[in-house]
Amino acid sequence: MATVTLKGSNQQMPLVGFGLWKIPNEKTADTVYAALKAGYRLLDGAGDYGNEKEAGEGLARAIKDGVVKREEVCKLM
């Protein structure tokens, strides 16, 4: 997946991300898990969405299941 290098930190950020806006809380964990399994490595969220906890649960499950390593994922929240 194509990335851009962030100035200052030299962190690689994917150019394409998966947005978490309007995903109902009860579906967020499964949706994040599926997005990571499909290859997304940038999760785009915000405090106003109200689904940060559930997004974290989906990420934690993906890490536990070996779908992704934490250092491979960029979260914007």
Side-chain angles (χ1 to χ4, degrees):
M1 182 174 287
T3 62
V4 62
T5 302
L6 301 177
K7 292 184 179 181
S9 69
N10 287 328
Q11 180 182 5
Q12 296 294 308
M13 184 178 85
L15 290 175
V16 176
F18 189 85
L20 303 176
W21 187 52
K22 298 241 180 185
I23 299 176
N25 289 18
E26 64 275 5
K27 294 185 178 185
T28 301
D30 289 338
T31 300
V32 165
Y33 185 90
L36 293 168
K37 197 167 184 180
Y40 284 95
R41 295 299 180 262
L42 170 62
L43 301 175
D44 182 11
D48 289 346
Y49 300 172
N51 57 9
E52 304 87 0
K53 177 181 174 273
E54 294 81 2
E57 291 168 357
L59 174 59
R61 184 165 32 120
I63 292 169
K64 181 182 174 210
D65 290 354
V67 172
V68 69
K69 295 179 183 173
R70 173 59 190 95
E71 57 270 15
E72 296 173 345
V73 179
C74 183
K75 296 186 311 180
L76 302 176
M77 299 210 180

